[in-house]
Amino acid sequence: MSHLIAPSILAADFARLHEAMALIDGSEADWVHVDVMDGCFVPNISFGFPVIRDIRPLTKKVLDVHLMIVEPERYIRPFREAGADHLTVHVEACPNLHRSIQMIKAEGMKAGVAINPHTNVLELEDVLADLDLVILMSVNPGYGGQRFIEHSYKKLEKLVALRAATSSSAWIEIDGGVNESNAARLVKFGADVLVAGSSVFKAPDPRQAIRNLKSPPPHTIEI
Ligand code: DX5
Ligand code: ZN
């Protein structure tokens, strides 16, 4: 499988979200990455159910919802009802992670777990086989436009090995600071999905930026 691209609408102009959705819908992007922040798990507030409900009919692409909220298990059904296809919770926010994953699957969504830069990938060892996806955070969650943390490559290598050791088939999704100069290297290290906010929506030609992340031009490949 070639890797997938999930533009994050966090970096879009919220007064023109329908244009951002049309852009993604007509592009080579595979998923729409939707960042939900509660001002508690992370020091920022983004948006919630009404926004997801309103963008849902604007695309046939997968809505990949990333919850940066405390007690996410309280809201699993409402996110399904709002239109989420994938629901990802943070390991750091879930004392009963196995139950949270089962609840997401019981609602018919793909289940993901995200890990922060300080969290060891081994925290996922006992749930990896149950997961549809893992979001490896390559910045501290809460804001778009941050610099990619280089240590993420080492974590990615460890996660790829752990996935094989646990016979898991979870997608590995990299989130934070992804751009045209690190995309090829991330894919080479085993990333299946690249989330990209600023490098798409702040680009002069966002559609071309998505194309470049999908097939990075040879001159950008730094290995
Ligand atoms: C950060 C979010 C990311 C963010 C990525 O907390 O989880 O999905 O939108 O933005 P960029 O690509 O600008 O780092
Ligand atoms: Zn995200």
Side-chain angles (χ1 to χ4, degrees):
M1 173 186 96
S2 93
H3 66 283
L4 307 180
I5 303 299
S8 167
I9 55 168
L10 187 68
D13 178 347
F14 287 180
R16 295 164 176 260
L17 260 187
H18 60 292
E19 290 173 17
M21 292 303 295
L23 187 140
I24 297 173
D25 201 53
S27 77
E28 290 177 32
D30 300 278
W31 302 349
V32 183
H33 188 78
V34 178
D35 288 306
V36 177
M37 305 178 182
D38 66 352
C40 192
F41 180 71
V42 287
N44 194 13
I45 298 176
S46 56
F47 49 74
F49 307 118
V51 170
I52 298 175
R53 211 175 293 129
D54 284 355
I55 62 170
R56 174 69 281 182
L58 303 180
T59 185
K60 285 189 210 54
K61 303 210 181 205
V62 161
L63 289 191
D64 179 48
V65 178
H66 175 193
L67 299 184
M68 286 159 275
I69 66 174
V70 298
E71 300 185 30
E73 57 287 343
R74 290 173 58 191
Y75 306 103
I76 287 169
R77 177 162 300 166
F79 277 109
R80 166 82 263 188
E81 288 168 353
D85 297 299
H86 300 171
L87 201 63
T88 294
V89 296
H90 265 263
V91 65
E92 302 86 2
C94 295
N96 298 294
L97 184 63
H98 183 270
R99 180 184 292 140
S100 307
I101 294 164
Q102 300 311 322
M103 288 170 73
I104 294 170
K105 290 181 153 181
E107 288 295 335
M109 293 176 282
K110 301 263 190 230
V113 171
I115 61 168
N116 277 342
H118 74 275
T119 301
N120 196 310
V121 298
L122 288 172
E123 295 269 324
L124 298 175
E125 185 172 7
D126 293 306
V127 290
L128 204 47
D130 294 324
L131 291 179
D132 297 299
L133 67 99
V134 173
I135 296 183
L136 198 155
M137 293 304 300
S138 40
V139 298
N140 287 294
Y143 302 95
Q146 301 181 81
R147 184 192 287 267
F148 180 86
I149 297 172
E150 294 291 317
H151 180 63
S152 309
Y153 292 114
K154 283 210 179 77
K155 289 183 73 174
L156 177 53
E157 275 185 315
K158 275 169 78 177
L159 184 55
V160 167
L162 188 63
R163 177 175 62 180
T166 55
S167 306
S168 163
S169 50
W171 290 300
I172 300 178
E173 181 170 353
I174 308 296
D175 188 6
V178 173
N179 55 43
E180 288 176 26
S181 52
N182 56 24
R185 190 169 182 211
L186 287 165
V187 171
K188 187 164 181 257
F189 271 68
D192 302 300
V193 188
L194 301 177
V195 175
S198 313
S199 67
V200 166
F201 286 104
K202 309 295 184 215
D205 182 348
R207 203 179 302 259
Q208 183 61 42
I210 292 169
R211 216 173 286 136
N212 292 347
L213 288 167
K214 192 88 183 169
S215 333
H219 70 275
T220 65
I221 299 178
E222 38 137 278
I223 304 293

